């Protein structure tokens, strides 16, 4: 999927992405902004499954390259008249959220078509949905679909006392199936029994800060949940240690590419004119996956499974690096 960085405002073919415009802006809290992105011709947009996200080209980074960020879609998925995204402003981030918080109604926004790695399992007997803070956005999409199709579900939503994005919508949609918390102690006290008291065939979905995801999935496994029934979505790996320098040997061309500390393998390859498909550059989307034929990988991504990381035959060059002898051989 190719992103469009500059085009006239208007709808363009779905295989290359979309250029939408900001139709409406709602400030959900002091730090969370909701955008309705619409086609300038007001036609319906491509449908999507619950839990999908779009990749937004949010200006350019300090290196002059287009900056792309993934945001979950919060609205209805079937023939939608808009794409809704809610974005928390992160002053310490790469600048994508600040760019979005400066948008005005009518501004053009280039986005990918929707994609999902966090869809509900349609054969599940029950859906246990856990959200933390802005991680509520894909969970809201799940809830809309569950209500529409009469699926059994419950929501556990924890947030800061002064911030509860989409809380009013969830109350209307969920009724008594919504459980909210503004303190971590009471949240964990309630979630523990919930993980133990579920009907056979229940699937767990969790989205939020990395710490919440890690703790929830660890507790689920301790409670006997099989991995196949535990689903989660991260927002990104955050700031990483710059790592040691290493060398990437490209088998097909015989080229050695030096990767300095603080520089990603993806950036080093791009500097050498080697194009690698990529979107999030945060180890989440899986778009930049490359085959590894030699060397040990220090996996830093949130996309590959534990088994795939153990196999060591691929890596996400946007975040992962060489370990051991600090040399990797790639099938490039």
């Amino acid at each position: 999927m190719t992103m469009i960085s500059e085009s006239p405002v208007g709808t363009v073919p779905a295989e290359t992405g979309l250029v939408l415009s900001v139709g409406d802006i709602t400030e959900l809290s002091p730090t969370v902004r909701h955008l309705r992105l619409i086609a300038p011709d007001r036609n319906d947009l491509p449908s999507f499954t619950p839990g999908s996200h779009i990749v937004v080209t949010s200006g350019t980074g300090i290196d002059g390259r287009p900056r792309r960020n993934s945001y979950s879609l919060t609205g209805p998925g079937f023939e939608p008249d808009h794409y809704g995204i809610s974005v928390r402003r992160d002053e310490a981030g790469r600048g994508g959220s600040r760019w979005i918080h400066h948008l005005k109604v009518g501004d053009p926004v280039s986005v990918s078509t929707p994609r999902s790695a966090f869809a509900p399992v349609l054969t599940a007997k029950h859906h246990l949905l856990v959200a933390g803070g802005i991680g509520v956005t894909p969970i809201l999409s799940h809830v809309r679909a569950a209500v529409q199709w009469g699926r059994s579900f419950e929501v556990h939503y924890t947030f800061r006392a002064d911030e509860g994005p989409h809380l009013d919508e969830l109350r209307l949609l969920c009724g008594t199936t919504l459980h909210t918390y503004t303190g971590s102690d009471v949240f964990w006290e309630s979630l523990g029994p919930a993980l133990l008291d579920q009907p056979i065939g229940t699937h767990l979905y969790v989205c939020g800060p990395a710490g919440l995801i890690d703790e929830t999935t660890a507790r689920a496994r301790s409670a006997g949940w099989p991995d196949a029934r535990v689903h989660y979505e991260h927002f990104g790996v955050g700031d990483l240690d710059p790592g040691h320098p290493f060398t990437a040997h490209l088998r097909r061309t015989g080229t050695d590419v030096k990767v300095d500390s603080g520089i990603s393998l993806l950036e080093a390859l791009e500097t050498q004119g080697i194009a690698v498909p990529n979107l999030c550059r945060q180890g989440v989307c899986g778009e930049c996956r490359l085959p590894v034929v030699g060397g040990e990988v220090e996996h830093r991504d949130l996309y590959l499974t534990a088994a795939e990381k153990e196999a060591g035959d691929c890596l996400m060059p946007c975040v992962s690096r060489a370990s051991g002898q600090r040399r990797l051989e790639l099938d490039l």
Side-chain angles (χ1 to χ4, degrees), residues 100-176:
I100 286 178
H101 274 253
H102 281 95
L103 288 173
K104 300 179 177 61
V105 171
D107 284 347
V109 181
S110 297
V111 308
S112 71
T113 48
R115 55 193 299 165
S116 178
F118 192 57
V121 176
L122 301 185
T123 57
K125 299 299 183 183
H126 184 66
H127 302 264
L128 177 59
L129 305 168
V130 179
I134 197 61
V136 73
T137 50
I139 298 300
L140 177 59
S141 176
H142 277 240
V143 168
R144 291 190 195 281
V147 171
Q148 180 180 4
W149 298 105
R151 297 172 188 146
S152 176
F153 74 96
E154 65 186 88
V155 179
H156 294 259
Y157 180 21
T158 179
F159 50 89
R160 294 177 181 174
D162 59 342
E163 284 199 7
H166 296 289
L167 180 57
D168 290 341
E169 286 181 86
L170 283 173
R171 284 172 172 160
L172 289 173
L173 289 166
C174 299
T176 58

Side-chain angles (χ1 to χ4, degrees), residues 217-236:
T217 54
R219 291 189 181 213
R221 293 184 181 105
S222 296
W225 288 69
D227 287 345
R229 291 198 286 122
V230 178
H231 316 274
Y232 51 88
E233 183 170 62
H234 284 277
F235 291 125

Side-chain angles (χ1 to χ4, degrees), residues 7-243:
S7 293
V9 177
T11 305
V12 296
E15 65 267 22
T16 57
L18 300 168
V19 179
L20 307 180
S21 61
V22 179
D24 188 46
I25 298 173
T26 303
E27 306 296 345
L28 298 180
S29 77
T31 62
V32 178
R33 162 179 274 203
H34 181 73
L35 302 183
R36 286 171 57 97
L37 303 176
I38 61 174
D41 57 13
R42 301 286 176 168
N43 284 338
D44 288 341
L45 298 169
S47 299
F48 59 90
T49 59
S52 293
H53 64 268
I54 55 175
V55 178
V56 177
T57 301
S58 48
T60 56
I62 57 176
D63 58 1
R65 298 190 181 99
R67 182 174 49 215
R68 299 182 177 99
N69 297 79
S70 300
Y71 299 108
S72 297
L73 294 168
T74 63
F78 181 69
E79 295 183 350
D81 62 359
H82 74 282
Y83 288 158
I85 59 172
S86 295
V87 180
R88 181 176 62 85
R89 186 176 64 247
D90 183 2
E91 298 296 346
R94 298 182 303 153
S97 67
R98 295 194 297 276
W99 184 88
I100 286 178
H101 274 253
H102 281 95
L103 288 173
K104 300 179 177 61
V105 171
D107 284 347
V109 181
S110 297
V111 308
S112 71
T113 48
R115 55 193 299 165
S116 178
F118 192 57
V121 176
L122 301 185
T123 57
K125 299 299 183 183
H126 184 66
H127 302 264
L128 177 59
L129 305 168
V130 179
I134 197 61
V136 73
T137 50
I139 298 300
L140 177 59
S141 176
H142 277 240
V143 168
R144 291 190 195 281
V147 171
Q148 180 180 4
W149 298 105
R151 297 172 188 146
S152 176
F153 74 96
E154 65 186 88
V155 179
H156 294 259
Y157 180 21
T158 179
F159 50 89
R160 294 177 181 174
D162 59 342
E163 284 199 7
H166 296 289
L167 180 57
D168 290 341
E169 286 181 86
L170 283 173
R171 284 172 172 160
L172 289 173
L173 289 166
C174 299
T176 58
T177 65
L178 174 64
H179 309 274
T180 61
Y181 315 89
T182 56
S184 61
D185 289 344
V186 67
F187 168 71
W188 293 117
E189 287 173 3
S190 298
L191 190 62
L195 290 171
L196 293 170
D197 185 23
Q198 295 295 331
I200 294 175
T202 297
H203 281 248
L204 168 67
Y205 311 82
V206 56
C207 187
L212 179 140
I213 292 175
D214 293 345
E215 181 67 18
T216 300
T217 54
R219 291 189 181 213
R221 293 184 181 105
S222 296
W225 288 69
D227 287 345
R229 291 198 286 122
V230 178
H231 316 274
Y232 51 88
E233 183 170 62
H234 284 277
F235 291 125
V237 297
D239 293 332
L240 295 171
D241 182 276

